[in-house]
Every structure is written in C-alpha cells, then in structure tokens.
C-alpha cells in the first residue's frame, strides 16, 4: 500500500489528537494553521504556518497530501471549496456551508422532522422587543463563536439595555428549554449505511464551557435509542464521511432536542481514546483515508474532566497517576483563564 499523507486544517488539540491517531495507523500528517504557536505542531510530521486565504501556501500544502480534513468548522466555506477542487476535502465543504450558520443548521434539522428548541433570526435590537415569548432565551451570533463566545443569555426583556451586543452581526435567538440534561452522540460514517456509533455521552457545562463528560449517560432507554437514531439520520442525510458529533438537550419531560451539529471530532469524545478499542480520532482518520472499518467495542465506563486555565499546573508538576487515570497535556504555551489546556480521563471498573 502506498503511503498516505493526511492534511489537517487547524492546529489545536483536536488536530494534535488526529495526528496521534494517524501515526498509530502509519499515516503521516501535515498541519496547516494560522496560529504560529499551534500545539498540533508537536505531534504532526510537518507544520505549515500561514493565513487560510494565502493561495500559494495552500497550494504548497495540498501538493503534499492525499486528502484534507479539518479540526474546526469555521474555516471559510470558499477556501474549503477551492481546496476540494484540487484535493478531496472530507467531510465535504457543502456540509460546512450548512453548519457554519446556526440558522441554516437549525432549518436543516427541522426539515428532517427532528426537534430543536424554538428559534428566530435577529438582525437588530428591536426584533427582540417583539419576541417576549422567546424569553428566557439565548442570543447567539449566527456564525463563529464557541465555548460561550458570541452568546448572550437573556432572562427578560428588561435585560436588553444592559447587554452589549454588536448588531452589525446577525444573530439567532433560541428559547431555553427546562433543561434536565445535555448529552452528545458521536458517529463515524464510512459510506451509505456504514457507520460506527458510540454510546451517548452525558455532559456538564460551566460558563458555557464543557467541564465533564461521562459514559454511561444516566438517561432512559428511549433517549438512548432515539439520540443514536437521530445522529445516524443526520449523518446519512449529509452523506457525511468522517466523525460527527450531535449535541442534544433533554428537558424535564424527557423530550429530546438537537442543539448543535459539530462536523468534526468533539471534546466530549476524548474519553473514547481510553474507553473504546477505536477512538473517535482513529475512526475519523480511517473514514477520510478510506481505511478498514473496525467494529467498535467499549472497553470500560469512563469520565473525562477538562482542565481549564491554571488547573493544568498541578498535573504538569506531578504526573503520578493511578493506573486507571490518563492525563493529556495539549502543550499550549500560554495559560489563559478560560482556555482548555488538557484533560483527565478516568476509567471506571
């Protein structure tokens, strides 16, 4: 078999873990990032630093690889589409065109007859004044934003005056559900009705940042089955190739809602590295590189804790862990207050 070289756009921790998984499969990786200090350069075979709209650098990058993937969904569709004309990009760029905009994403989900929270597009402050029945809600930019960035919880119309929102951008207002639980389902699709799916993962957030994930999720059998069925339905409709995450809300009446689709490997799936025979990262590499599909086998229950900001320090200073604990340092140079610096996975007997 000829050597496969995988190009990865984006050099954060997800790119790092994709590179680690690829190395296990004897696949070389080239990371392209607009961050000169991107931590994935510590794990890949070659690193290219440049802006994503640098046509010459992009041409150099794609001349060296067999297939291209990405670690985050906010690379402009136009750039992904141009790359795809010369080298296959997986998952395909047209998927990002849908998912990069929260309005088109929600419309796509609703058109599949899958439930989301109520939502409406917002272009200026006065639009919200007439939408009292959508409150309490959360105002989000239609594009970009993650880990709570570009998101503004609004409990009542009285709070509008105190919220500093730049209405030169477009927004979506989502009505809050009476939330009981958040879960995610990760599926890797290899082709038509060919997929491997992980069991639902229960997630806990703080300050809109994922803090804790665990399997098994404490959910009903109905939600267990329904969430997996919906994730498969979404991946099939998108004709997706690679690993996809669907995030869900469960309300107090045990109703399921699709919150977001992440067209990539996902933070909540870090525990799959240790809890399964094949991680979400390895499965993504297998799918986009047209490698063998290996049946999934769960090895252990598990929980994962994100290490945010200074929480990384004691782990960097003392690596003595029990045999069932696994520490991952993303090797980010600068410690920031709300920055994901690493994670700790604990396997449960």
């Amino acid at each position: 078999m000829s050597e496969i070289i995988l190009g990865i756009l984006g050099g954060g921790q997800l790119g790092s873990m994709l590179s680690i998984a690829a190395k296990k499969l004897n696949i070389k990786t080239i990371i392209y990032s607009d961050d000169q200090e991107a931590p994935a350069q510590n794990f890949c075979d070659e690193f290219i630093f440049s802006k994503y709209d640098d046509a010459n650098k992009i041409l150099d990058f794609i001349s060296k690889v067999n297939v291209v993937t990405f670690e985050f969904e906010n690379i402009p569709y136009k750039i992904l589409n141009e790359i795809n004309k010369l080298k296959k990009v997986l998952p395909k760029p047209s998927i990002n065109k849908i998912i990069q905009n929260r309005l088109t994403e929600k419309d796509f989900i609703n058109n599949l007859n899958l439930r989301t929270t109520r939502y409406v597009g917002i272009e200026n402050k006065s639009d919200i004044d007439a939408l009292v029945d959508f409150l309490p809600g959360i105002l989000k930019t239609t594009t970009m934003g993650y880990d709570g960035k570009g998101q503004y919880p609004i409990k009542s119309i009285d709070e509008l005056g105190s919220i500093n929102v730049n209405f030169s951008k477009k927004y979506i207002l989502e009505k809050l559900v009476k939330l009981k639980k958040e879960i995610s389902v990760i599926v890797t699709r290899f082709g038509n009705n060919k997929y491997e799916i992980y069991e639902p993962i229960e997630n806990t957030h703080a300050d809109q940042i994922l803090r804790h994930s665990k399997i098994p999720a404490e959910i009903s059998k109905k939600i267990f089955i329904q969430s997996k069925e919906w994730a498969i339905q979404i991946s099939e409709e998108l004709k997706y190739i690679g690993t996809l995450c669907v995030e869900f809300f469960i309300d107090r009446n045990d109703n399921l809602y699709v919150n977001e689709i992440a067209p990539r490997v996902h933070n909540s799936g870090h525990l799959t590295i240790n809890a399964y025979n094949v991680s979400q990262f390895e499965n993504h590499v297998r799918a986009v590189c047209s490698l063998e599909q290996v049946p999934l086998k769960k090895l252990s229950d598990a929980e994962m804790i994100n290490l945010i900001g200074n929480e990384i320090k004691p782990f960097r200073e003392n690596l003595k862990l029990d045999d069932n604990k696994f520490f991952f340092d993303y090797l980010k140079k600068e410690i920031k207050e709300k920055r994901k610096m690493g994670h700790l996975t604990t396997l449960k007997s």
Side-chain angles (χ1 to χ4, degrees), residues 26-40:
N26 295 316
I27 290 174
K28 290 187 175 180
T29 52
I30 299 178
I31 295 280
Y32 187 110
S33 175
D34 64 354
D35 177 5
Q36 196 162 11
E37 295 190 341

Side-chain angles (χ1 to χ4, degrees), residues 197-211:
I197 188 163
Y198 299 85
E199 72 174 68
I201 301 162
E202 182 173 336
N203 301 310
T204 306
H205 292 76
D207 297 324
Q208 296 168 290
I209 299 173
L210 180 66
R211 295 307 309 250

Side-chain angles (χ1 to χ4, degrees), residues 12 26 40-41 63 97 136 182 186 193 222 281 289 311 318 322 346:
N26 295 316
Q41 64 189 285
S63 72
K97 194 173 186 181
E182 296 181 58
I186 292 170
N193 295 308
K222 179 197 86 169
F281 301 98
C289 293
E311 291 171 358
N318 182 7
D322 295 338
T346 302

